[in-house]
Amino acid sequence: MPNARPLPILAVSLSLGLALAAQPAPLEWEPFEGRDPEGNPVQLERATLLVPENRSKADSRQIELAVVRLPTGAGDPGPPVLYLAGGPGGSAIASGRFPHLSRLYRALNEKHDIVLMDQRGAGRSRPRLLWPAPSSLPPDFLSSREKMIEYVRRAHRQAAQSMREQGVDLAGYTTVESAADIDALRRALGAEKVSLLGFSYGTHLALATIRSFGPHLDRVVLVGTEGPHHNDKLPATYDAQLYKLSRLAAASPGVGGKVPDLAALLRRVLDQLDAEPAVVTITDRRAGENIEVPVGRFGLQLLLRLDVGDGNDFPEFPLLLHRIEQGNYGLLAKYVQKRHSQFSQGVNVMGTVMDLASGATEHRRRRIAGQLADSLLGEAVNLTSPYVADIWGNPDLGDAYRSPIHSDVKTLFVSGTLDSNTPPAQAEEVRWGFSDSHHLIVEYAGHEDMLPHSE
């Protein structure tokens, strides 16, 4: 694993100092008509916020952050509510197309403006740091760990070269800078305080905002908490998830008879794929043709890792593994198709450099390394960061960024008992430093299904 080169704390402090020094111009709102998920018209406003690409440089160029507002009709409105999307790389503006968020926005809109800003490098903000791959993934990308790493490094080298040729200052794409963007938006709105609703990576960003700009926050809701040092994942967390799923499967009348021990079945299937990869037929949608994709041990570990915290997918895991053991690969092909189509799009540069900058402490890296030998999902738990950090210049904000946060901002933490991406224990760890907080734990909720969950 390449050695990270921490950004000096002085640079982080200077970044925040410059962020506060320059008063952004008031936003110039343009009315437009949007549509809710049911197709009904919604009267919205849009604007562009200009911010420095890298606040540690006095001569930094300006970048454009896209902002959409759903204004409230309340006579005495409360502080604006900002939704912070996950990813990194998700679009807050596009979040309104999801029925559960649209309903939530309408409810909050009775007393608050709802403000959706696409984070720097993402969504409708410019530049958008997404490198489009010139061709689809190679068919053998899931055949082995070595093939996947070979492809990932090649794609990231091309993406990094493209970004640098375009003049992108990659050092400006950190969560510290995005937190300063949120405060710049607050000031451009003319608001003394704003409230934040963050999901997944959005909670990581919200926590960085609390650390630097807490006095200007009214209330914060963190759904699926990723703390300052939770960016790199612990293999033991995913083992615990798989053992939980194993117990639930064994207790299910319709499943337990055929899959009495899901974890043991997974070990057998991984050994089976070691000996002979499964070959599935999927559609290369870019090329418009069917291709055969071999799936080896590491390939299956990666596919499971990507969906093991998602309540929309993990209920299928007992059936998926049972069929693979029997030599039936039809359901496996569905999971391969989804990721082949996703990864063929290219490299999410914004998400990559944001994650690399957030990094991990040396203590956490040692914990990860010590857990790998017996892990069910192995190195697939942290696929990208160990293998591409050098390509992007080893960005790292340093351990001061990853230190505990102490705050009196009124905060609600929301977690799901089956969310292995951001488990409840992470929220409790972060919450220890919060003097005014509550933690709502939703039974059986996963990660991606957390916000739509009925409770």
Side-chain angles (χ1 to χ4, degrees):
M1 184 180 300
N3 293 323
R5 294 180 299 192
L7 184 69
I9 296 175
L10 175 62
V12 177
S13 302
L14 176 60
S15 168
L16 296 179
L18 289 176
L20 292 170
Q23 175 64 32
L27 295 171
E28 297 182 5
W29 295 104
E30 173 193 356
F32 77 104
E33 185 175 272
R35 297 282 171 177
D36 67 15
E38 291 77 37
N40 303 310
V42 180
Q43 300 307 313
L44 301 167
E45 299 172 332
R46 59 190 170 198
T48 300
L49 176 67
L50 297 178
V51 297
E53 186 171 39
N54 186 340
R55 291 177 172 88
S56 67
K57 295 182 179 179
D59 60 347
S60 174
R61 70 172 179 173
Q62 300 283 297
I63 59 174
E64 299 179 359
L65 304 184
V67 184
V68 167
R69 178 169 67 178
L70 177 61
T72 181
D76 185 21
V81 175
L82 279 57
Y83 174 69
L84 308 184
S91 168
I93 292 174
S95 69
R97 72 172 184 264
F98 297 109
H100 59 281
L101 283 173
S102 178
R103 290 192 296 270
L104 177 59
Y105 295 158
R106 286 198 296 268
L108 293 171
N109 190 229
E110 292 181 5
K111 295 183 179 180
H112 306 267
D113 286 349
I114 306 301
V115 182
L116 308 175
M117 180 175 72
D118 281 349
Q119 297 159 30
R120 55 174 52 215
R124 299 181 186 179
S125 293
R126 295 293 178 267
R128 186 184 182 200
L129 304 195
L130 179 65
W131 176 76
S135 60
S136 300
L137 288 171
D140 61 354
F141 78 110
L142 288 175
S143 62
S144 69
R145 169 182 170 276
E146 291 72 25
K147 289 291 185 182
M148 175 59 86
I149 293 173
E150 177 186 348
Y151 168 75
V152 167
R153 284 190 60 80
R154 182 169 67 250
H156 279 255
R157 280 195 297 267
Q158 294 173 340
Q161 179 180 350
S162 174
M163 292 297 118
R164 288 166 179 142
E165 289 175 350
Q166 294 175 48
V168 174
D169 187 346
L170 294 169
Y173 293 85
T174 70
T175 302
V176 168
E177 289 282 2
S178 284
D181 292 342
I182 291 172
D183 193 66
L185 174 61
R186 175 193 65 79
R187 289 179 286 132
L189 290 169
E192 178 60 29
K193 291 189 176 186
V194 295
S195 291
L196 305 179
L197 167 62
F199 169 66
S200 192
Y201 167 76
T203 69
H204 187 85
L205 173 54
L207 288 166
T209 309
I210 290 172
R211 187 196 296 277
S212 297
F213 305 104
H216 293 291
L217 299 178
D218 183 47
R219 302 189 180 200
V220 174
V221 178
L222 305 177
V223 183
T225 302
E226 180 182 288
H229 76 290
H230 293 147
N231 183 71
D232 285 14
K233 309 304 181 184
L234 298 174
T237 300
Y238 293 89
D239 286 347
Q241 174 80 346
L242 287 163
Y243 288 124
K244 284 184 184 179
L245 297 178
S246 186
R247 288 192 295 273
L248 290 171
S252 171
V255 179
K258 292 185 177 180
V259 186
D261 189 334
L262 181 67
L265 172 59
L266 173 56
R267 292 188 188 278
R268 294 198 304 271
V269 168
L270 291 174
D271 289 342
Q272 178 179 318
L273 297 181
D274 247 348
E276 183 178 358
V279 179
V280 303
T281 300
I282 64 168
T283 302
D284 181 338
R285 289 175 177 159
R286 294 185 62 169
E289 60 185 19
N290 290 339
I291 59 172
E292 290 189 341
V293 177
V295 182
R297 178 189 189 93
F298 183 81
L300 180 62
Q301 287 176 318
L302 176 62
L303 294 172
L304 296 179
R305 156 64 179 89
L306 292 170
D307 285 322
V308 71
D310 185 355
N312 300 304
D313 293 302
F314 61 61
E316 287 187 329
F317 281 13
L319 180 61
L320 171 66
L321 297 176
H322 179 65
R323 286 186 175 176
I324 293 175
E325 187 175 41
Q326 294 180 323
N328 180 340
Y329 305 141
L331 186 56
L332 175 61
K334 183 186 88 168
Y335 286 83
V336 175
Q337 180 71 71
K338 176 169 67 170
R339 298 306 174 183
H340 182 276
S341 299
Q342 175 191 356
F343 296 155
S344 289
Q345 294 176 16
V347 175
N348 173 10
V349 174
M350 181 271 198
T352 298
V353 294
M354 287 280 182
D355 279 343
L356 289 172
S358 294
T361 63
E362 185 57 35
H363 176 261
R364 190 169 181 88
R365 293 184 193 277
R366 288 197 300 268
R367 289 184 68 191
I368 292 170
Q371 294 174 7
L372 282 176
D374 298 323
S375 169
L376 288 165
L377 299 184
E379 292 186 82
V381 167
N382 292 296
L383 171 65
T384 304
S385 57
Y387 308 111
V388 302
D390 61 314
I391 294 172
W392 297 100
N394 293 311
D396 191 289
L397 289 170
D399 284 351
Y401 170 81
R402 294 181 282 268
S403 63
I405 296 173
H406 302 280
S407 174
D408 59 2
V409 174
K410 191 175 186 65
T411 304
L412 173 65
F413 295 83
V414 184
S415 303
T417 59
L418 292 179
D419 179 359
S420 54
N421 291 6
T422 54
Q426 290 188 176
E428 281 299 313
E429 184 180 346
V430 173
R431 187 184 168 215
W432 185 254
F434 282 64
S435 62
D436 189 2
S437 70
H438 295 274
H439 190 186
L440 172 63
I441 300 178
V442 185
E443 195 73 20
Y444 303 122
H447 189 69
E448 301 297 340
D449 58 311
M450 175 71 68
L451 282 170
H453 200 281
S454 59
E455 292 188 34

